[in-house]
């Protein structure tokens, strides 16, 4: 059973940085897509960044491209991170990490996949 736990959220001023962490367990797909999604009040959940576990394929939404980086410290486990720099007020949201079976693809974009999300998310609040 896939289990995902987010951490690292908090309150920061505009222009600041945060690093979110996702501890993943029970991931047994032959190829895994890892991702970060966010949901702001009154808005739908949106994909922020995705990557192929252990691979080079990455995707960033236009809203975060150039400011956020999704990465892993090791390919030996599916834990992954989201480094967020030059934060804006529009980045305020609950951030969820997620994993998906990418056995038939390479995680170029988040849309084709059936994502399994962390249960709680982590709150990011950016204020001026």
């Amino acid at each position: 059973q896939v289990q995902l736990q987010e951490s690292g959220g908090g309150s920061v001023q505009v222009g600041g940085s945060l690093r979110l962490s996702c501890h993943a367990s029970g991931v047994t797909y032959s190829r895994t897509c890892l991702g970060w999604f966010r949901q702001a009040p009154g808005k739908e959940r949106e994909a922020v960044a995705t990557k192929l576990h252990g691979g080079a394929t990455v995707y960033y939404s236009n809203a975060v491209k150039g400011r956020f980086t999704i990465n892993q410290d090791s390919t030996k486990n599916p834990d992954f991170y989201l480094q967020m720099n030059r934060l804006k007020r529009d980045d305020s949201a609950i951030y969820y990490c997620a994993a998906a079976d990418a056995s038939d693809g390479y995680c170029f974009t988040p849309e084709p996949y059936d994502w399994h999300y962390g249960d709680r998310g982590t709150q990011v609040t950016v204020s001026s």
Side-chain angles (χ1 to χ4, degrees):
Q1 181 180 358
V2 176
Q3 292 186 324
L4 301 156
Q5 180 63 59
E6 306 93 345
S7 62
S11 297
V12 64
Q13 291 189 324
V14 169
S17 299
L18 283 173
R19 189 188 192 214
L20 306 183
S21 299
C22 181
H23 176 61
S25 61
V27 178
T28 60
Y29 310 131
S30 59
R31 185 180 296 137
T32 304
C33 195
L34 306 171
W36 286 98
F37 295 73
R38 67 186 183 187
Q39 187 167 19
K43 296 186 177 181
E44 292 188 356
R45 182 156 49 191
E46 62 175 352
V48 173
T50 65
K51 78 176 300 289
L52 185 65
H53 172 34
T57 307
V58 293
Y59 160 89
Y60 295 101
S61 70
N62 288 334
V64 308
K65 196 174 297 182
R67 300 187 296 120
F68 290 12
T69 303
I70 183 171
N71 58 18
Q72 297 177 267
D73 284 344
S74 170
T75 59
K76 295 181 179 179
N77 64 72
D79 291 354
F80 60 109
Y81 309 90
L82 184 68
Q83 177 66 44
M84 305 186 296
N85 298 327
R86 305 201 309 275
L87 283 159
K88 304 177 180 180
R89 292 188 66 178
D90 286 348
D91 295 321
S92 296
I94 299 175
Y95 284 70
Y96 298 89
C97 63
D101 183 353
S103 300
D104 61 347
Y106 289 89
C107 202
F108 290 114
T109 63
E111 287 80 9
Y113 300 103
D114 184 15
W115 293 92
H116 181 101
Y117 298 95
D119 290 333
R120 296 187 177 183
T122 187
Q123 177 72 50
V124 172
T125 303
V126 185
S127 59
S128 56

